[in-house]
Amino acid sequence: MFVKVCGLDTVANTRIAVDAGADAIGVVMSPRSPRHVTPEGAAAIIAEVQGRATTVLVVREMPAVEAARMAETMGVDVLQLHGGRYAPEDFTDALTVHPRIWRATSLTEATDVRVGAWGEERLLLDAPQAGSGERWDLNALTARRPTGEWLLAGGLSPANVADAITTAHPWGVDVSSGVESAPGVKDPALIQAFVAAARGTER
C-alpha cells in the first residue's frame, strides 16, 4: 500500500513521516490553504527527504506551466495539480516542462476516473471539499472505481484508513488533515499511527 503524507509543515515532521515509512510526502503551495508553505519552507522540507521518498508539490491556484517551472526549480519529483480549475490542456502544457504530474480531483458524475486520461502518472480522488477532513461516501466508487495507480484521500485518519482501504481498494492513500492537531499543524504521533494502520492492511 502506497502511503502519501501531504501538507507537511516542518522539517521535523517530514523526518517523522519518512522514518515511519511514508512512500511520498507533499508540500502545499496554495495561499488560501492552512497548509501553505513558502518556497523556502518547501525547499527545506524537500531537502530533508534526500531521495528516501517521492516528493510532491501540490498546487490549486497556480497556473499549470508556472507550477511546473516551480517544480523543476525546487527539484521535486512530482507536480500535483489539484482541483477543477485545471483542464486537460493544462496537463499537456505542464508536461512539456516537468515529466511527472498527478491529477487530484473530487469524484463527481463528470470526473474522468481513467488513470492517465489527462496524461497524468497517477490519479488522486479527494473529498468534495479538499483538505476539509470530510469523510466522503466511498460507496460512490462501487460502479466507478478507477483501475491502475490511484490514491484515495479525503477524511482519512489512523482510525478509519484500514476500513477505507478494504472498502475502496485503492492502490494508495493520501492523508493531510487526518494527522493534524489543528488545521495545518501535523501531529507526529498521528503520522506514525496512520502509516502503521495503512501498512497493516498488507498482512
Side-chain angles (χ1 to χ4, degrees), residues 51-66:
R52 293 185 294 154
T54 299
T55 53
V56 184
L57 170 63
V58 180
V59 300
R60 291 182 61 89
E61 297 91 6
M62 192 181 298
V65 171
E66 180 183 337

Side-chain angles (χ1 to χ4, degrees), residues 112-134:
D112 191 333
V113 297
R114 297 173 298 158
V115 179
W118 291 12
E120 76 277 8
E121 178 182 275
R122 291 174 183 149
L123 172 66
L124 185 148
L125 291 180
D126 204 349
Q129 295 296 322
S132 67
E134 287 184 13

Side-chain angles (χ1 to χ4, degrees), residues 8-194:
L8 280 159
D9 54 342
T10 65
V11 168
N13 282 337
T14 301
R15 187 178 303 121
I16 292 288
V18 174
D19 288 347
D23 298 288
I25 65 95
V27 291
V28 175
M29 293 185 66
S30 174
R32 292 187 293 176
S33 170
R35 297 161 193 93
H36 173 70
V37 294
T38 64
E40 294 76 19
I45 288 170
I46 291 159
E48 173 62 29
V49 176
Q50 296 183 342
R52 293 185 294 154
T54 299
T55 53
V56 184
L57 170 63
V58 180
V59 300
R60 291 182 61 89
E61 297 91 6
M62 192 181 298
V65 171
E66 180 183 337
R69 292 189 183 118
M70 178 71 74
E72 284 287 291
T73 299
M74 292 171 56
V76 296
D77 299 312
V78 174
L79 170 64
Q80 180 176 308
L81 298 178
H82 201 125
R85 79 175 300 279
Y86 298 109
E89 53 267 28
D90 291 312
F91 285 75
T92 300
D93 293 343
L95 281 165
T96 66
V97 179
H98 192 75
R100 299 180 64 187
I101 298 183
W102 295 359
R103 173 167 58 106
T105 183
S106 299
L107 182 65
T108 68
E109 291 184 2
T111 303
D112 191 333
V113 297
R114 297 173 298 158
V115 179
W118 291 12
E120 76 277 8
E121 178 182 275
R122 291 174 183 149
L123 172 66
L124 185 148
L125 291 180
D126 204 349
Q129 295 296 322
S132 67
E134 287 184 13
R135 178 77 183 272
W136 53 289
D137 184 7
L138 299 183
N139 292 320
L141 286 165
T142 301
R144 303 188 64 213
R145 185 177 292 115
T147 58
E149 296 185 353
W150 71 280
L151 284 76
L152 178 67
L156 299 181
S157 70
N160 65 28
V161 66
D163 286 342
I165 290 169
T166 299
T167 300
H169 305 288
W171 174 82
V173 289
D174 178 288
V175 68
S176 188
S177 59
V179 291
E180 292 178 347
S181 57
V185 181
K186 291 294 185 285
D187 183 304
L190 290 177
I191 292 172
Q192 293 169 324
F194 183 89

